[in-house]
Amino acid sequence: MCRWLAYSGSPVLLDTVLYRPEHSLINQAIRSRMGVEPTNGDGFGIGWYSGNGDGTPAVFRDIGPAWSDRNLRELAAHVSSHLFFAHVRASTGSAIQQTNCHPFRHGRWLWMHNGAIGDFQRLQRDLCMAVDPALFPSIEGSTDSEVMFYLAVTFGLDQDVPAAVARMAGLVERLGKEHGVAEPLQMTVAVSDGERVWAFRYSSHGKSRSLFYSSRAETVRHLYPELDYLAEVSDDTRIVVSEPLGDLPGVWNELPEGSYAVIPSGPHTDYEPFVPEL
Amino acid sequence: MCRWLAYSGSPVLLDTVLYRPEHSLINQAIRSRMGVEPTNGDGFGIGWYSGNGDGTPAVFRDIGPAWSDRNLRELAAHVSSHLFFAHVRASTGSAIQQTNCHPFRHGRWLWMHNGAIGDFQRLQRDLCMAVDPALFPSIEGSTDSEVMFYLAVTFGLDQDVPAAVARMAGLVERLGKEHGVAEPLQMTVAVSDGERVWAFRYSSHGKSRSLFYSSRAETVRHLYPELDYLAEVSDDTRIVVSEPLGDLPGVWNELPEGSYAVIPSGPHTDYEPFVPEL
Amino acid sequence: MCRWLAYSGSPVLLDTVLYRPEHSLINQAIRSRMGVEPTNGDGFGIGWYSGNGDGTPAVFRDIGPAWSDRNLRELAAHVSSHLFFAHVRASTGSAIQQTNCHPFRHGRWLWMHNGAIGDFQRLQRDLCMAVDPALFPSIEGSTDSEVMFYLAVTFGLDQDVPAAVARMAGLVERLGKEHGVAEPLQMTVAVSDGERVWAFRYSSHGKSRSLFYSSRAETVRHLYPELDYLAEVSDDTRIVVSEPLGDLPGVWNELPEGSYAVIPSGPHTDYEPFVPEL
Amino acid sequence: MCRWLAYSGSPVLLDTVLYRPEHSLINQAIRSRMGVEPTNGDGFGIGWYSGNGDGTPAVFRDIGPAWSDRNLRELAAHVSSHLFFAHVRASTGSAIQQTNCHPFRHGRWLWMHNGAIGDFQRLQRDLCMAVDPALFPSIEGSTDSEVMFYLAVTFGLDQDVPAAVARMAGLVERLGKEHGVAEPLQMTVAVSDGERVWAFRYSSHGKSRSLFYSSRAETVRHLYPELDYLAEVSDDTRIVVSEPLGDLPGVWNELPEGSYAVIPSGPHTDYEPFVPEL
């Protein structure tokens, strides 16, 4: 059911993060260790903010497995960004098509998701109807993930991200309860406006897919002074990812169930509690 | 805005009809003569009834241009059918993906369309809401064509095809009028249950895309006794197609505006009037 | 490094063999048990003899993973054949493209391969030069598998299949030795002319990829009288496949190293020794 | 038989040149005015030099029509370059696959071609054999264009581009003559090392595909002072393209038969004669 990665910090070539690590996202596509499905070969996508004019990120999505896509490799080797998303997909039933690959984009917003809405086919119509009618035609695919995004936009993503996501989660759980769905919502979600990244981890039954965030760069530098490449990244450079990119102790921290993190983060706290709006 | 072909009659290899004629559907994909767009390279699809078990037709759709698709050529050279649909797509804006290629299938029904719902984005939500809620999750793509299909299913395609299509057309025109859309509906449509083919030609402003049906095989045999291959086809073998497959006089007849034809047809009449249900 | 299946016997719908078994070839694409790579998602292909006119088989190949390909599923549910090949690919480096998917076809011949020519890039030019110059332009892709095929055609596949394959293997090993390649050849290969299937298992170092053939239908019926579907298949119906399709004891037999089998087989022997021609 | 564009000069977003002009390369893909085929929908590719480390250009190629490719549009809107190639393909028979799309790349070199080697299948083996054996495995596709490239590399592209291309053309014509091919070579070719672009126009019978180069930016500014966007481009900014991107008189100049141009060019001359090496 997918694996994803969000990066925010000093501009880097995408492949530094996407391809080079020992257990890179590309490797997680072939053989994930913590995912529900070991293989995530039903498409992929990247979104990146390039600093061009109007703040709209670029999105590159395709339907083949990420591990064999030459164009992705080329792009990653030649494109730099200070903030980017990457996602590899394992379909939970919906069609294999570009419009069902993450990240989804709306204006300056990017969104990606790992998880599922339980019994989505039963809730789909009501959820689509709860999307702002003006946004309904923007739903291009058939995934639960995309509908969740447009619900969050409808509920005020532009004004308050955690509140909008909490309202969306609350609606999904309410509707699920009405329809007798045992576990309406499973989600790790990342959303960004090009300046910050919000990462959420929540599930109705408290057993969300895995999600980790990196320690602050200064912390990692102290632990591993021999890692030269870290010498140049800003202190607030952070990665949030479904599975740790490597095995060095102290580098990766699990985002707890029912919480969300914001990057760049404040000095005192890495995450806050997340509760769906009742 | 697409070209299509429907065949009903003696079983033939698909390529006899799809590839060999002088102005075959494949050629109409590269260079149509009567279409709004000369090139229809945004995907293609075929559906065929194979006589297997439960009457469900097979569907083969892909997103590349039909003229260069090797798999289509292979299939056509090895698959025979007594009733099949073929469609080449020119997108009117929606994504290039298999789920947006025609024909669409639901149970034993196939459906394909050339034309458009005017200002579809404005009407899309209301039209989707008019689809039977139980069918809503069956809408896999983002075309107006597919929504028209599920509306027709909702309105009783199983019981009375022309009535169901008339109700669907009536709804589209009513909604269009409410929203101030000048020309809500343009359509040539083919629909089949594996036994008969219904072909419709109607537009709000009376200027539909081109549509032709072949004369009865016996008629063509009289006109052109030298066409040996016709010696073996049944008398009720008919083809309905966006543009004539060749230039022999007397073989192709235009289906008039505001009418529909049924194949196999009765002995006295080739078509009936079609009026949207008010 | 790929998994494949060859079927010969009573005509069946392809999906009976491709999709329904517990450890079907489609499942072997997602998660093989005995393959070098657990995942074979770099394309797939099927070839089938349909009894049409000139004996040329149909070939359907595509570059996505087999497990998510809708068109493959459709075809398999509607196409029957008495003799067909199916292959799922794990690339050993060459590009992901239809012309690198198996089976390869030349005239009435089909060919598929699991394994590799060691250090192929070093031997490629000499091997291509050994192909009959008239056949050189027929090499459409960049795999070692395809070159092995055209070498076998060059060496008299039309006259004597085992001899032609032995000559091809002998050339590969000779060239490999000249170039100091430690293990020039690893192969399980299937080849057919539409009437018989030859399956080879040989490697320079005696450690070939896995390959199994099914017991005679009568044998399986005796062992498992409850398997109704076997009541109707001919006694000489056989399957050769990289990994057993299920776990019933007595149904699957390993084809030994350095041997080849022919289906339908004679009454006394299932396989013969195979030795590259020196 | 393809259309292409090469840009060299001030860094620009690719879409400024690829999408915005009235008769852009993307429009030439749908409906070329001067091409042999009006439609060039058999794949596309771009190559761009990004100023990253080792001078190797990035290449992005895909098999669908350029006009509907979302990823191409995204890239073009977010990637800038001072030197880039773009090509839209109409296949002359070889397979539709990424490895048959232009531009081709070898080290820091990019190459693209419009035209054909006459009766290529007859000459293909000899031409491939003339490629440096060490380069033979680099030939990934099955086009004449790619073989021409590797012949030019073999003949010293690194040292002297026009001489290497002249040697390649000479070999093709000599071989063609030996095999009785009436018109062995038709070419417009662009090649670059990231610093300069060489554009060639030559055919055995003197009837090459169309090719144009833009006047110097200062010239265009004098002619059309109202074109603000030109105010900022360097004086040596030039475009070479199969068909003019627009209709303003004085902007586009035909590259004569049997000549080649270098960009940036010297002050006195735009092009030099080109003659295959006998």
Side-chain angles (χ1 to χ4, degrees):
Chain A
M1 207 165 301
C2 314
R3 307 274 75 188
W4 59 256
L5 174 151
Y7 173 97
S8 170
S10 302
V12 287
L13 278 177
L14 305 191
D15 78 350
T16 311
V17 175
L18 291 186
Y19 282 89
R20 292 197 211 169
E22 188 185 326
H23 191 53
S24 69
L25 189 72
I26 301 298
N27 287 344
Q28 293 178 34
I30 309 173
R31 185 81 43 242
S32 75
R33 297 173 185 165
M34 302 177 181
V36 169
E37 299 83 19
T39 303
N40 299 272
D42 296 331
F44 66 89
I46 57 175
W48 74 94
Y49 293 87
S50 61
N52 276 2
D54 67 356
T56 305
V59 168
F60 173 76
R61 304 183 289 182
D62 217 338
I63 58 178
W67 61 76
S68 57
D69 196 273
R70 289 189 175 193
N71 289 329
L72 178 63
R73 194 177 277 275
E74 290 287 325
L75 240 91
H78 290 266
V79 168
S80 296
S81 178
H82 70 287
L83 198 158
F84 55 92
F85 278 15
H87 182 279
V88 292
R89 187 175 182 231
S91 167
T92 49
S94 50
I96 309 299
Q97 55 198 27
Q98 281 182 341
T99 56
N100 281 353
C101 295
H102 319 208
F104 301 98
R105 173 185 61 198
H106 182 75
R108 70 188 190 284
W109 296 98
L110 285 180
W111 174 280
M112 54 188 177
H113 169 230
N114 174 209
I117 289 179
D119 227 342
F120 179 57
Q121 292 218 330
R122 232 198 298 176
L123 310 184
Q124 186 181 12
R125 188 178 185 274
D126 288 348
L127 289 170
C128 288
M129 287 308 102
V131 169
D132 181 347
L135 288 174
F136 184 88
S138 298
I139 302 173
E140 282 208 284
S142 52
T143 63
D144 45 14
S145 307
E146 190 187 22
V147 176
M148 290 166 64
F149 178 36
Y150 282 103
L151 285 169
V153 175
T154 299
F155 294 150
L157 201 63
D158 277 331
Q159 288 82 45
D160 183 326
V161 171
V165 177
R167 283 188 65 186
M168 176 274 293
L171 172 67
V172 173
E173 292 201 318
R174 262 198 322 282
L175 266 176
K177 192 169 172 186
E178 285 170 26
H179 284 78
V181 177
E183 184 168 359
L185 185 57
Q186 274 240 26
M187 69 179 216
T188 69
V189 158
V191 52
S192 181
D193 58 357
E195 295 186 10
R196 285 181 291 174
V197 176
W198 291 258
F200 297 82
R201 187 168 185 235
Y202 171 81
S203 295
S204 308
H205 272 191
K207 297 204 197 96
S208 303
R209 307 285 186 245
S210 60
L211 194 63
F212 294 80
Y213 61 96
S214 59
S215 301
R216 292 167 196 275
E218 48 195 297
T219 307
V220 182
R221 271 193 290 264
H222 281 141
L223 288 172
Y224 302 99
E226 69 279 13
L227 295 181
D228 313 336
Y229 62 83
L230 289 181
E232 294 177 20
V233 300
S234 66
D235 284 341
D236 62 1
T237 295
R238 302 295 275 271
I239 292 175
V240 185
V241 62
S242 297
E243 302 182 15
L245 300 182
D247 297 324
L248 294 180
V251 175
W252 300 101
N253 313 275
E254 193 175 26
L255 187 66
E257 285 283 349
S259 63
Y260 75 93
V262 189
I263 302 165
S265 56
H268 301 294
T269 174
D270 275 344
Y271 54 85
E272 303 281 341
F274 176 81
V275 179
E277 183 187 284
L278 294 169
Chain B
M1 207 167 300
C2 314
R3 307 274 73 188
W4 59 256
L5 175 152
Y7 174 98
S8 170
S10 303
V12 287
L13 277 176
L14 306 191
D15 78 350
T16 311
V17 175
L18 291 186
Y19 282 88
R20 292 196 210 168
E22 188 186 328
H23 191 53
S24 70
L25 188 72
I26 301 300
N27 288 346
Q28 293 178 32
I30 309 173
R31 185 81 42 244
S32 76
R33 298 172 183 165
M34 302 178 180
V36 170
E37 298 84 18
T39 302
N40 299 272
D42 296 332
F44 66 89
I46 58 175
W48 74 93
Y49 293 86
S50 61
N52 276 3
D54 68 353
T56 305
V59 169
F60 171 76
R61 304 183 290 181
D62 219 337
I63 57 178
W67 61 77
S68 56
D69 196 272
R70 289 189 175 193
N71 288 330
L72 179 63
R73 195 178 276 277
E74 291 287 324
L75 239 91
H78 290 266
V79 168
S80 295
S81 176
H82 70 288
L83 199 158
F84 54 92
F85 278 14
H87 182 280
V88 291
R89 185 175 184 232
S91 168
T92 50
S94 49
I96 309 299
Q97 56 198 28
Q98 282 182 343
T99 56
N100 281 353
C101 295
H102 318 208
F104 301 98
R105 173 186 60 199
H106 181 75
R108 71 188 190 283
W109 296 97
L110 285 181
W111 173 281
M112 54 188 178
H113 170 230
N114 174 210
I117 288 180
D119 228 340
F120 179 57
Q121 293 218 329
R122 231 199 295 176
L123 310 183
Q124 186 181 11
R125 189 177 184 274
D126 287 347
L127 289 170
C128 287
M129 287 308 101
V131 169
D132 180 348
L135 289 174
F136 184 87
S138 298
I139 303 172
E140 281 209 285
S142 52
T143 63
D144 45 13
S145 309
E146 189 187 23
V147 177
M148 289 166 64
F149 179 36
Y150 282 102
L151 284 170
V153 175
T154 298
F155 294 149
L157 201 63
D158 277 333
Q159 287 82 44
D160 183 328
V161 170
V165 177
R167 285 188 64 185
M168 175 276 292
L171 172 66
V172 173
E173 293 201 317
R174 260 196 325 280
L175 265 176
K177 192 170 172 183
E178 285 171 26
H179 282 78
V181 177
E183 184 167 359
L185 185 57
Q186 274 239 29
M187 69 179 218
T188 68
V189 158
V191 51
S192 181
D193 59 356
E195 295 185 10
R196 286 182 290 175
V197 176
W198 290 258
F200 297 82
R201 186 169 186 234
Y202 172 82
S203 295
S204 307
H205 272 193
K207 297 205 195 94
S208 302
R209 306 283 184 247
S210 61
L211 194 64
F212 293 81
Y213 61 96
S214 60
S215 301
R216 292 167 195 275
E218 49 195 295
T219 307
V220 183
R221 272 194 289 266
H222 282 140
L223 289 172
Y224 303 99
E226 69 279 13
L227 296 181
D228 313 337
Y229 61 84
L230 289 181
E232 294 176 21
V233 300
S234 67
D235 285 342
D236 61 2
T237 295
R238 304 295 275 270
I239 292 175
V240 186
V241 62
S242 297
E243 300 182 18
L245 299 182
D247 296 326
L248 295 180
V251 176
W252 300 100
N253 312 275
E254 194 176 23
L255 186 66
E257 285 283 349
S259 63
Y260 74 92
V262 189
I263 301 165
S265 56
H268 302 296
T269 175
D270 276 342
Y271 55 84
E272 303 281 342
F274 175 81
V275 179
E277 183 188 282
L278 292 170
Chain C
M1 209 165 299
C2 313
R3 307 275 73 190
W4 58 256
L5 174 152
Y7 174 97
S8 170
S10 302
V12 287
L13 277 176
L14 304 192
D15 79 350
T16 312
V17 175
L18 290 186
Y19 282 89
R20 292 198 211 168
E22 190 186 325
H23 191 52
S24 69
L25 189 71
I26 301 299
N27 288 344
Q28 293 177 34
I30 309 173
R31 185 82 41 244
S32 76
R33 297 172 183 166
M34 302 178 182
V36 169
E37 299 84 18
T39 302
N40 300 271
D42 295 331
F44 66 90
I46 58 175
W48 74 94
Y49 293 86
S50 61
N52 277 1
D54 67 354
T56 304
V59 169
F60 173 78
R61 303 182 291 181
D62 218 337
I63 57 178
W67 61 76
S68 56
D69 197 274
R70 289 190 175 192
N71 289 328
L72 178 63
R73 194 177 277 276
E74 292 286 325
L75 239 90
H78 290 264
V79 168
S80 295
S81 177
H82 70 288
L83 200 158
F84 55 93
F85 278 15
H87 183 281
V88 291
R89 185 176 184 231
S91 169
T92 49
S94 50
I96 309 298
Q97 56 198 27
Q98 282 183 339
T99 55
N100 280 353
C101 295
H102 318 209
F104 301 98
R105 173 185 60 198
H106 182 76
R108 71 188 189 284
W109 296 97
L110 285 180
W111 172 281
M112 55 188 177
H113 169 230
N114 174 210
I117 288 180
D119 226 341
F120 179 57
Q121 292 217 329
R122 228 195 301 173
L123 309 184
Q124 186 180 11
R125 188 178 185 273
D126 288 347
L127 289 171
C128 287
M129 288 307 102
V131 169
D132 181 347
L135 289 174
F136 185 88
S138 299
I139 302 173
E140 283 207 283
S142 52
T143 64
D144 44 12
S145 308
E146 190 187 23
V147 177
M148 289 165 63
F149 179 37
Y150 282 102
L151 284 170
V153 175
T154 299
F155 294 151
L157 201 63
D158 277 333
Q159 287 82 45
D160 183 327
V161 170
V165 177
R167 283 187 65 185
M168 175 274 294
L171 172 66
V172 173
E173 293 201 318
R174 261 195 327 279
L175 265 176
K177 192 168 173 187
E178 285 170 27
H179 283 78
V181 177
E183 185 168 359
L185 185 57
Q186 273 239 28
M187 70 180 217
T188 69
V189 159
V191 51
S192 181
D193 59 356
E195 295 187 9
R196 285 181 290 174
V197 175
W198 291 258
F200 297 83
R201 187 169 185 233
Y202 171 82
S203 295
S204 307
H205 273 193
K207 297 205 195 96
S208 303
R209 308 284 184 246
S210 62
L211 194 64
F212 294 80
Y213 60 96
S214 60
S215 301
R216 291 167 197 274
E218 49 194 295
T219 307
V220 183
R221 271 193 290 265
H222 281 141
L223 288 172
Y224 303 100
E226 70 278 14
L227 296 181
D228 313 336
Y229 62 82
L230 289 182
E232 294 175 21
V233 300
S234 66
D235 284 341
D236 61 3
T237 295
R238 303 295 274 270
I239 292 175
V240 186
V241 62
S242 296
E243 302 182 16
L245 300 181
D247 296 325
L248 295 180
V251 175
W252 300 99
N253 313 276
E254 193 176 24
L255 186 66
E257 286 282 351
S259 62
Y260 74 93
V262 189
I263 299 166
S265 55
H268 301 294
T269 174
D270 276 344
Y271 55 82
E272 304 281 341
F274 175 81
V275 179
E277 184 187 281
L278 292 170
Chain D
M1 208 165 301
C2 316
R3 305 275 76 188
W4 58 257
L5 175 151
Y7 174 98
S8 170
S10 301
V12 288
L13 277 177
L14 305 192
D15 78 350
T16 312
V17 175
L18 290 186
Y19 282 89
R20 293 198 209 167
E22 190 185 325
H23 191 52
S24 69
L25 189 71
I26 301 299
N27 287 344
Q28 293 178 36
I30 310 174
R31 186 81 42 242
S32 75
R33 298 172 183 166
M34 301 178 181
V36 170
E37 298 83 17
T39 302
N40 300 271
D42 296 332
F44 67 89
I46 57 175
W48 73 95
Y49 293 87
S50 61
N52 276 3
D54 68 353
T56 305
V59 168
F60 172 78
R61 304 182 290 182
D62 218 338
I63 58 179
W67 61 77
S68 56
D69 196 274
R70 290 189 174 193
N71 289 330
L72 178 62
R73 195 177 276 276
E74 292 285 325
L75 241 91
H78 290 265
V79 168
S80 294
S81 177
H82 70 287
L83 199 158
F84 54 93
F85 277 15
H87 182 280
V88 291
R89 186 176 183 231
S91 168
T92 50
S94 49
I96 310 298
Q97 56 198 29
Q98 282 182 341
T99 56
N100 280 354
C101 296
H102 319 209
F104 301 96
R105 173 186 59 199
H106 181 75
R108 71 187 189 285
W109 296 98
L110 283 180
W111 173 280
M112 55 188 176
H113 170 230
N114 174 211
I117 289 180
D119 228 342
F120 179 57
Q121 293 218 329
R122 229 196 301 174
L123 309 184
Q124 186 182 13
R125 188 177 185 274
D126 288 347
L127 289 170
C128 287
M129 288 307 102
V131 168
D132 180 347
L135 289 174
F136 184 87
S138 298
I139 302 173
E140 281 208 283
S142 52
T143 63
D144 45 13
S145 309
E146 189 187 21
V147 177
M148 290 165 63
F149 179 36
Y150 282 102
L151 284 170
V153 175
T154 298
F155 294 150
L157 201 64
D158 277 332
Q159 286 82 46
D160 182 326
V161 171
V165 177
R167 284 187 64 186
M168 176 275 292
L171 172 66
V172 172
E173 292 202 317
R174 260 196 323 282
L175 265 178
K177 192 169 173 185
E178 284 169 28
H179 282 79
V181 178
E183 185 169 358
L185 184 58
Q186 274 239 26
M187 69 179 218
T188 69
V189 159
V191 51
S192 181
D193 58 356
E195 296 187 9
R196 286 181 291 174
V197 176
W198 290 258
F200 297 82
R201 187 170 186 233
Y202 172 82
S203 294
S204 308
H205 273 193
K207 298 205 195 94
S208 303
R209 307 284 185 248
S210 61
L211 193 64
F212 294 81
Y213 61 95
S214 60
S215 302
R216 291 166 196 275
E218 49 195 295
T219 308
V220 183
R221 270 192 292 264
H222 282 141
L223 288 172
Y224 303 99
E226 69 278 15
L227 297 179
D228 313 335
Y229 60 83
L230 289 182
E232 295 175 21
V233 299
S234 67
D235 284 342
D236 62 1
T237 294
R238 301 296 275 272
I239 292 174
V240 186
V241 63
S242 296
E243 302 182 16
L245 300 182
D247 297 325
L248 294 180
V251 175
W252 301 100
N253 313 277
E254 195 177 22
L255 186 66
E257 285 283 349
S259 63
Y260 75 93
V262 190
I263 301 164
S265 56
H268 300 293
T269 173
D270 276 342
Y271 54 84
E272 303 281 342
F274 175 81
V275 179
E277 183 188 282
L278 292 169

